[in-house]
Amino acid sequence: MIAHLSKPALVLALLAGTAAPVSAQTPADGQKLAFDRSKGNCLTCHVIKGGDLPGSIGPELTDLKNKYSRDELIAIVTDETKRNPLTVMPPFGRNRILSEKEINSVVDFLQTL
């Protein structure tokens, strides 16, 4: 962790890009965002295993790791309108609904489905 580094070592680590992340994101963090009705809100439109009161506007989210690459999932969550201008899916990244870190966390979760 960063806290154990001396000030000069911390500066060198940050400059070298080798410092440990402040807080690592996990698929569980992504699930929390995906199920959060005020943030990711994926359940409003999608059936997701383990989610309550799912919607049916979008496809059921299953087997995503085999259907899409990580980069494709990031692009879909960030701004699906680039691939499909007629989509009703919100552009979570373009509209800053989710940060880049949060999108990556959600994709980590989606890849477990």
Side-chain angles (χ1 to χ4, degrees):
M1 213 168 186
I2 293 174
H4 77 278
L5 296 176
S6 68
K7 206 174 217 179
L10 176 60
V11 170
L12 287 174
L14 290 172
L15 289 173
T18 58
V22 175
S23 63
Q25 295 290 308
T26 66
D29 296 322
Q31 181 181 21
K32 287 177 192 170
L33 284 167
F35 288 5
D36 183 341
R37 299 279 181 184
S38 66
K39 191 71 173 170
N41 207 17
C42 302
L43 283 170
T44 295
C45 298
H46 300 279
V47 172
I48 305 171
K49 183 180 177 182
D52 293 328
L53 303 170
S56 60
I57 295 169
E60 183 173 347
L61 301 182
T62 59
D63 199 29
L64 296 180
K65 193 169 187 173
N66 291 319
K67 294 176 185 175
Y68 301 101
S69 72
R70 179 174 183 75
D71 289 341
E72 288 172 316
L73 287 172
I74 289 171
I76 290 167
V77 176
T78 299
D79 187 359
E80 175 62 357
T81 65
K82 289 182 178 179
R83 286 181 357 136
N84 177 6
L86 301 177
T87 187
V88 295
M89 183 162 167
F92 289 95
R94 188 186 79 207
N95 286 354
R96 297 182 184 154
I97 299 166
L98 296 174
S99 69
E100 185 177 339
K101 183 177 179 180
E102 290 170 325
I103 290 170
N104 276 288
S105 185
V106 168
V107 168
D108 288 344
F109 165 63
L110 294 176
Q111 289 191 304
T112 69
L113 300 176

